[in-house]
Amino acid sequence: MTILNIIRFPDPRLRRKATPVESFDESLITLKNDMLETMYAAPGIGLAAVQIDILKRFIVIDVSEHCTEPRCFVNPQLLSHEGEIKTDEGCLSVPAIYEPVTRYQRITLKAQNEHGEFFELAAEGLLSVCIQHEMDHLEGKLFVDYLSDMKKKRIQKKMEKLRRETM
Ligand code: NI
């Protein structure tokens, strides 16, 4: 397995829209394993392929306490939503920043697994929030887009400073 390089905000590559996965072959299994390893190593609870420069509608998530429930969502589609929940969100592409974002409390969605099989899932709380956050990545959207312009600019400055320091 390989640990992949995660693109960081404000890199414009994070703004591209991902395209549907059409071929379910061995490379998708490798992608899933590499993305999970990258996410666990970060450490994080969700990662979208866009974040590692692969423009596919492909997401991995594990919100369990001890990294025992890896999930994979291919071509996810929201079917319904209910209620609201406000939680502090972070993102592996925006390291060390946590800000409150309001999302749907409960969602149902349809997706495919890495073998192309369709499934439906009802999610609430952290899992629901995480799925919505990762699905935003597929549209080129980031959680900082929900914040005020002032806050977003401040975060962008911080990220650019961090990048200069680590170069
Ligand atoms: Ni993210």
Side-chain angles (χ1 to χ4, degrees):
M1 287 192 277
T2 316
I3 292 183
L4 307 156
N5 188 40
I6 298 173
I7 300 173
R8 288 184 175 185
F9 174 74
D11 192 313
R13 287 177 292 173
L14 289 168
R15 296 308 188 177
R16 294 171 304 173
K17 204 175 153 165
T19 56
V21 172
E22 278 159 3
S23 70
F24 292 84
D25 53 22
E26 198 59 38
S27 70
L28 216 55
I29 313 289
T30 306
L31 180 65
K32 179 193 173 186
N33 291 334
D34 288 349
M35 279 178 61
L36 279 169
E37 194 182 17
T38 304
M39 179 186 83
Y40 288 138
I45 58 171
L47 186 67
V50 179
Q51 292 175 276
I52 50 147
D53 208 16
I54 292 175
L55 283 183
K56 291 285 172 201
R57 303 185 81 79
F58 194 98
I59 290 166
V60 293
I61 286 176
D62 189 342
V63 294
S64 70
E65 201 178 337
H66 300 290
C67 307
T68 50
E69 288 166 35
R71 297 168 190 267
C72 169
F73 300 90
V74 187
N75 303 328
Q77 276 181 290
L78 214 58
L79 298 176
S80 68
H81 58 80
E82 207 185 297
E84 282 188 349
I85 181 174
K86 193 177 190 174
T87 57
D88 278 350
E89 278 185 38
C91 178
L92 292 178
S93 293
V94 196
I97 303 287
Y98 299 91
E99 293 289 345
V101 175
T102 302
R103 304 273 188 185
Y104 303 127
Q105 158 70 15
R106 281 173 296 277
I107 57 169
T108 60
L109 74 152
K110 187 173 108 177
Q112 283 161 282
N113 65 16
E114 67 273 31
H115 306 292
E117 294 153 359
F118 283 94
F119 65 95
E120 283 188 22
L121 178 77
E124 62 178 334
L126 181 59
L127 180 59
S128 166
V129 166
C130 190
I131 292 169
Q132 290 170 74
H133 174 118
E134 300 310 327
M135 282 180 72
D136 271 356
H137 277 298
L138 306 182
E139 308 302 329
K141 194 168 181 183
L142 299 169
F143 86 100
V144 293
D145 299 343
Y146 294 92
L147 310 176
S148 69
D149 283 348
M150 208 179 74
K151 221 174 216 178
K152 195 171 156 181
K153 267 195 194 113
R154 207 186 308 142
I155 293 169
Q156 183 161 337
K157 279 208 179 104
K158 218 181 223 178
M159 289 298 116
E160 281 162 353
K161 185 165 177 271
L162 192 74
R163 191 168 52 186
R164 281 195 302 273
E165 283 168 1
T166 54
M167 248 156 66

